[in-house]
Amino acid sequence: MEATAQDVAAWMVKEIEFRSKLSQSDAVAYIREHFGERFVFVNERGNISLDREVVKAFRKLHGGRVAWDRDGFFWGWT
């Protein structure tokens, strides 16, 4: 069975619940290896980013309980 954006988002929320935060680099590495390249891309600034559908599903799942730290490049509980 092929992974979905919802599967990736659910993994992200579980990681944050377990570790309190999730760095973008760790997320991208894990997602590439376990879910596939289709869930990441290189943005216009040359940075590796998460697929928009993953981000959308992630926001729905955490319901505002997670925030992005721009300086640290990680997500964490608010």
Side-chain angles (χ1 to χ4, degrees), residues 1-75:
M1 188 157 92
E2 197 168 306
T4 66
Q6 187 74 20
D7 296 330
V8 177
W11 170 80
M12 291 175 67
V13 170
K14 286 179 187 173
E15 279 297 295
I16 295 167
E17 286 174 347
F18 181 71
R19 299 177 189 269
S20 301
K21 67 180 186 177
L22 175 63
S23 73
Q24 182 172 351
S25 60
D26 289 346
V28 168
Y30 187 92
I31 291 166
R32 276 184 159 160
E33 184 177 339
H34 294 90
F35 295 105
E37 282 289 324
R38 69 188 187 101
F39 295 109
V40 297
F41 70 99
V42 178
N43 68 21
E44 61 279 349
R45 295 182 191 157
N47 300 317
I48 298 174
S49 298
L50 299 178
D51 177 77
R52 296 186 199 302
E53 290 302 312
V54 171
V55 174
K56 194 163 125 181
F58 177 63
R59 285 182 181 148
K60 275 188 175 180
L61 281 177
H62 73 65
R65 297 174 298 156
V66 173
W68 172 248
D69 184 301
R70 289 179 187 223
D71 296 330
F73 291 97
F74 68 86
W75 294 274

